[in-house]
Amino acid sequence: MAARARWTDWLGLVRSNRHYRRFLLATIVSFMGSAVHVVGAAWLILQLTGQSYSVPLLLLISALPGILFAPLIGSVVDRRHPRRVLMATDLVSAIVVLVIPIAAVAGRLAGWELYVVEFVLAFAGQFYLPASRVLVRSLVTDGELLLANSTTTLIYQLGIALGALGGGLLITATSPVVALAVNGASFAFSLACFATLPESAPAAGGSPVPGGIWRDFLTGVGLLRDDGVARHLFVLYLVLQGAHRFLTSLLAPLVHDALRQPAAVQGLLQAVYSGGAVLAGLMIPVLVARSGWRATLLLGTLGVALMIGLFALARSLWFALPVYLVLAVLVQLWVSYQTAAQLRLPASAQGRVFAAVGLVQSASGVLIFAASAALLRLLPVQLVYAACAALVAVASARSLAVLWNRPVAVASVS
């Protein structure tokens, strides 16, 4: 991005690149359907089991495929056409999720079936993210990658916000089963969009074999080991992703215990967070172009830690809302770290690199949710937020120090 970067540059990219435009259409519909599904699945499992612990158990099951299958995922993404991987992912997801409405109509729906469906959907979803990132890189130039990644994140968040809102209304008017059927239809629509995109050559070629899967995975690990700048960029990426998970798990207790507000306020704060993430999609390319990488590094690490600490002090909704909005914008700076790391690494190994990073991300997600539950049993929610702020600062300190005097910027984002 040049120094004259503008807030509206994303419009020019979308208008000029019809293949990327179709990708965005598939993405927003798919994420709207997935957000509807999240709301519907939570209510459905409560109806089927009558147990409150069934919801976090569902989340835990959905986190397992990222840990169990990371080597396979990276190998497949790099050896197959990303478009075909995404089409297969959507096809499998559509078939699996539609099992629930069919079983409900037949009067044979049980709780265990939803757990199995969530596991398979999460497994398919693990292919979706790295394959979509590889596909985006093939649809745009290196100079457009940061703008494309930021715009894609904007669309993600917009789809999630619209889907969560629509999902609640849909379930109120109909049933959770209908919400899951809508998600199945969204997967079918996404598949149709991907089918119209051009084919790009597979990076490595051939099919992964059992012995080669681990070699492929270790190749991704080796690339991160050999490129210290990319490795530390991904560390900062993981820190901000972890901060997002902490915020997700702590929001309801803060609203209930500190703000003493009803559940509707949690929905309002979540909507504000999504709005901040959409705003970040517009701001990030401009911020990097005009302020440089040092400002971006500081805002995405120390800035996030500071805003989490401020959020812990919230005692009123009017204080919490603007702080949470700014926090959402800063957390999304992970997009810039991801993009800079992508541009430092060979395109032919992107899937394997993201699989290695995804393994750490999935494992850390399980630890973060477990730590949040444990800390909330011992400490007031405000102190847990303060601990989260300190952890963000400490976890990012070494990488920030390493990157501070190193040439992080690349031509396309300088």
Side-chain angles (χ1 to χ4, degrees):
M1 299 297 298
R4 63 179 181 275
R6 298 165 301 187
W7 309 103
T8 55
D9 283 347
W10 67 280
L11 283 173
L13 176 62
V14 173
R15 288 172 178 169
S16 64
N17 191 327
R18 63 188 177 92
H19 296 312
Y20 179 62
R21 189 164 62 243
R22 289 176 186 170
F23 168 80
L24 291 181
L25 179 60
T27 298
I28 193 169
V29 171
S30 180
F31 272 72
M32 285 175 64
S34 295
V36 170
H37 178 97
V38 168
V39 180
W43 282 93
L44 183 58
I45 196 66
L46 285 173
Q47 289 180 4
L48 292 173
T49 66
Q51 302 293 333
S52 59
Y53 67 79
S54 61
V55 176
L57 180 58
L58 205 64
L59 294 173
L60 178 62
I61 287 175
S62 67
L64 293 178
I67 299 174
L68 299 176
F69 301 108
L72 172 65
I73 291 163
S75 183
V76 169
V77 169
D78 278 338
R79 290 177 178 272
R80 296 292 186 183
H81 302 273
R83 182 184 73 99
R84 294 184 185 179
V85 174
L86 291 168
M87 289 174 63
T89 295
D90 280 339
L91 178 61
V92 170
S93 298
I95 292 172
V96 169
V97 78
L98 289 174
V99 166
I100 299 299
I102 293 171
V105 170
R108 298 179 177 274
L109 183 59
W112 68 267
E113 293 169 333
L114 188 55
Y115 288 122
V116 173
V117 166
E118 289 301 306
F119 182 87
V120 177
L121 282 178
F123 173 68
Q126 290 297 316
F127 287 92
Y128 184 92
L129 286 177
S132 64
R133 287 164 178 163
V134 173
L135 180 62
V136 168
R137 187 169 184 183
S138 73
L139 295 177
V140 302
T141 66
D142 282 356
E144 296 171 328
L145 186 59
L146 177 60
L147 184 60
N149 282 341
S150 299
T151 304
T152 302
T153 300
L154 183 158
I155 294 298
Y156 285 166
Q157 294 296 332
L158 185 59
I160 291 170
L162 294 175
L165 176 62
L169 295 174
L170 180 65
I171 292 167
T172 301
T174 57
S175 72
V177 171
V178 173
L180 269 63
V182 168
N183 188 31
S186 76
F187 284 125
F189 181 87
S190 176
L191 189 158
C193 290
F194 288 135
T196 67
L197 295 179
E199 194 78 271
S200 58
S207 301
V209 294
I213 289 173
W214 281 104
R215 285 196 298 270
D216 281 347
F217 181 72
L218 293 176
T219 298
V221 174
L223 287 169
L224 290 174
R225 181 194 62 222
D226 296 338
D227 191 320
V229 172
R231 183 173 68 252
H232 285 290
L233 285 167
F234 272 123
V235 168
L236 297 182
Y237 163 87
L238 290 169
V239 168
L240 295 191
Q241 289 283 321
H244 170 74
R245 284 190 165 94
F246 260 118
L247 294 171
T248 300
S249 63
L250 298 176
L251 183 58
L254 182 83
V255 170
H256 182 270
D257 298 341
L259 299 181
R260 301 188 183 280
Q261 297 288 334
V265 170
Q266 180 184 349
L268 176 60
L269 284 166
Q270 288 174 332
V272 166
Y273 191 89
S274 294
V278 171
L279 181 60
L282 302 175
M283 293 176 60
I284 288 171
V286 179
L287 175 65
V288 174
R290 296 185 178 181
S291 301
W293 274 99
R294 288 189 177 185
T296 307
L297 290 170
L298 282 176
L299 285 173
T301 52
L302 302 183
V304 167
L306 175 62
M307 296 309 295
I308 292 175
L310 282 177
F311 196 62
L313 301 176
R315 294 295 183 275
S316 73
L317 181 60
W318 300 114
F319 179 86
L321 284 172
V323 173
Y324 212 50
L325 176 67
V326 174
L327 185 54
V329 172
L330 297 181
V331 167
Q332 294 301 312
L333 286 171
W334 65 261
V335 175
S336 61
Y337 306 151
Q338 172 204 310
T339 302
Q342 273 187 282
L343 291 170
R344 294 186 63 89
L345 299 169
S348 60
Q350 298 278 301
R352 283 165 283 181
V353 169
F354 278 116
V357 174
L359 174 61
V360 178
Q361 186 175 347
S362 297
S364 65
V366 172
L367 292 176
I368 286 169
F369 289 134
S372 297
L375 289 172
L376 286 170
R377 292 175 64 89
L378 301 173
L379 301 171
V381 65
Q382 296 94 331
L383 290 181
V384 179
Y385 267 99
C388 176
L391 182 60
V392 169
V394 171
S396 59
R398 183 170 182 272
S399 294
L400 179 61
V402 169
L403 295 173
W404 190 252
N405 292 314
R406 303 204 39 192
V408 176
V410 292
S412 58
V413 293
S414 59

